[in-house]
Every structure is written in structure tokens, then in C-alpha cells.
Amino acid sequence: MFKLQENQTNVKTEIFAGMTTFFTMVYIIVVNPAILSNTGIPFEQVFTATIIATAIGTLWMALFANYPIAIAPGMGLNAYFAFSVVGSHGGIDYVTAFSAVFVAGIIFVILSLTAFREKLIEAIPDNLKFGISAGIGLFIAFVGLKNTGIITSNPDNLVGLGNLHSPEVLLALFGLAVSLVLMALNVNGALFFGMIITTIAAFVTGQLSFDKGIFSLPSLPDGVIVANPLEAFVDVFQHSLYAVVFSFLLVTIFDTTGTMIGVAEQAGFMRGKTLPNAKNALLSDSIATTIGAMVGTSPTTAYIESTSGVAAGGKTGLTSLTVAVLFILASFLSPLVGAISGVAAITAPALIIVGSLMIGHVAKIKWNEIDEAFPAFLVILTMPLTSSISTGIALGFISLPLMKVAKGKWREVHPIVYIFAVLFFIQLAFLPH
């Protein structure tokens, strides 16, 4: 089924590669519920939803695309959902916000079945793509610093340095140092093992306890959150969540496609600029996003951590199948994960480090060309300062065509970008945000 001989691999190698990928990305079952439960969603709901979305997306990738690429809720998108969408637009709740994710997922599935997804990626200028990735990285790193108290509010400068002597800050700094040392030593699963060591330190210092035990059966306290697709579309129209849907769609498209191509290039799957069986590979995250929204998690994406499994020899869907099975087994550890995610200092180092990895995209921006550099800079600057990924994207899409027209380069801008610029301007100027 997985064509192991054809791909010059074997069962043992593929399973080991799957275990490697799992340990590099399993931090998401702690970090994702920690972020999304801030909106009032029951922890058990997000925990189980995270595993459902991950298992479905990764199984689809394994069984239909036969690639060693794992799918899970995306970092950055979860922070955007929790801190920018819920509570905004007239005080919408998480149920309505999941309607926006569901609608984005449905559109995502449709786009994945057509050539429009590839055309959209080609239409958006590279520098805006790089700026969006870097801005999200800065935003989630800021969230990590804020959650632990390393950065606190300041009446004079809005933000300032927190109390470096507080137990929580000291634990976060310890966890950050441990994780960075492990990464510097090229340890597979550095973020996960750093989190384990920080958990032990938190337990020893009395900041963590396991009052509810370690094992339990998976549960969904709220059941299926988005049960009626028609109601989901009505919610989006009623609360004017068009920009939210578009932001989810845009970031997920770039994130997943870019990651998928990056992993495929490393594994040697690319045939020139095309990825064989790309449609099934691209469907994996769109289907997972749709189903994930129904049960309670933010949009999914392909995980760059899949490269660790490829480096360990993974070449087929058997690697992804192993990842999915391990995530399903992890679903019985809800009390353990709940206790860990309740201590922000344990999860924050992962946010900060993932943010540092994402901001590396700034190196690819053409800083010597103002019409290319400033829109990207505006995206990077405004995402953390406005606590809104969609606002950063909007300002980037509005400023780039203006700069190009001023420079007499209006022909370089794809018509789709002009359409987006007008839509974003209308949203910022006339709609609640």
C-alpha cells in the first residue's frame, strides 16, 4: 500500500521516522489547549479536538497522498483565534468564531479541489508572504512572554519588563534555556523534551500538581460545536466575519503549501516545481480544518517538524500513519496534559522558540526596495502591536498596491491583490474590527 520497496525504505525505518516526527510536534497537544482554553472552551474539548483534527488530517495524508507529512492545528492561528477573534466584532463567543473557521475550511476544501489555490499563492507577492510568516512569529513569541509575566503592562510605555524574581518567570526562563540548549545540540523533539524537563522542575518546586490523575477516557464536553453548516454561514454574515474567514484562509494556504513544498523538497518528492498527487496532499489540511472546527479547534496546517521524520529516513505515508496512531494513544492523557498546560511557564518557551523560527522569513524580504519592504514591515510591526493577525495582513495588502502605483509599477501587482486591497480597506474603514 505504501510502496515501501519502490521508495527504498522499510517498516522499521518508517515507524522510527514517525516516532521522531511525533516527539518533535507533540507539544501542540499541550500548547493548543493552553491557548484556546483562554476563550472559555473546556480544556478537555480542545484537547480532544486537537487530536481528532491531527489524526484525521495526518491519516488522510498517509492513506491518500502517501507522504510523510503530519497535519495539526497551526501555531499562530490558534493565538489569532483566541486573542483577536473571540471577544471582537461585538463580543462574539467561541461558538461563533468556530463558525468562521468552519466556513474557511469549506472554502479551503473547494479551493483544494481546483487550481485556484495555486493561482492565489502565485498572485500574492513573496515579500508579503514572508512578512505574514514573520509577523505571526513575533506575535506568538510576544504572547509567550506575556503569559509568563516576563513582559507585563506598563502605564507609561504600554509594556515593560516583569518581575524576574517571581517563581513563574524563573521557571519560564529555565524552560527556555533548556529547550534552546537541546535545539543547539540538534536533539530531535527538543521542544517536547524541554517541556518535560520544565514539567519536572515545576513539580519539584511545587508549581505543578496532578490532582486529577494522569489517564482518562477522551471526551468532548460541548459535543459537536458546529453541527449545522447553514448556521455557520449565517453566523459569518450576521457578525461580518469576512476578514476573519479570509485571514484564516490566507494564512493557512501559505503556511500549509509552503511547508508541504519545503518538506517535499527535502524528501526529494518534487518533480521540478510540481508535487505529484498534490491535490490529495492539499486536501488533508482543509478537511482537518473543517472537521476540527466542528469539534473545537483552530485551523490545521502541515507541520515543518515533519522534516525531522524525513531526516530520520521517512519516505512514505507509513511515517504519517505512525504519527496519527501515536496522537490517538495520547488522547488518553488529558488530565496529565491539562495540569501541564495550566502552568504557562511550561508552554511559553515553545511559543517563544517557534516564534523565533518563524521570524527568520525576514531575511528573504527585499529590504533595499521600499515598495516591497514597507508593506512587509507594516505587517510585521502591526500584528503584535494590535494583537491582530488579520489587521496586519489587511494593512500589508492595502499599502503594497499604493506603493507600487506611486512607483509606477502598478502592472507588477496581480488583479487579485487589488481586489483584496479594496475589500480590506472597506473592512477597516466601515466594519467593526
Side-chain angles (χ1 to χ4, degrees), residues 192-227:
F192 173 71
F193 291 118
M195 203 176 286
I196 293 297
I197 294 170
T198 311
T199 298
I200 294 170
F203 182 75
V204 170
T205 57
Q207 297 184 56
L208 174 66
S209 62
F210 300 104
D211 300 332
K212 296 182 180 179
I214 294 176
F215 299 101
S216 72
L217 291 175
S219 66
L220 288 169
D222 282 2
V224 177
I225 294 176
V226 181

Side-chain angles (χ1 to χ4, degrees), residues 140-160:
I140 63 174
F142 178 74
V143 168
L145 291 168
K146 181 169 68 72
N147 284 352
T148 57
I150 295 175
I151 288 177
T152 58
S153 60
N154 183 293
D156 298 319
N157 300 313
L158 295 181
V159 293

Side-chain angles (χ1 to χ4, degrees), residues 28 34 84 90 92 94 106-107 122 134 136 171 193 206 226 234 266 281 283 292 306 308 310 314 344 371 384 402 430:
I28 195 63
S84 299
I92 67 169
Y94 66 81
I106 293 294
I107 298 171
E122 293 170 5
I136 292 173
L171 181 64
F193 291 118
V226 181
V234 170
Q266 180 181 336
L283 270 171
S306 302
S308 63
V310 171
D371 53 318
L402 288 175
F430 304 108

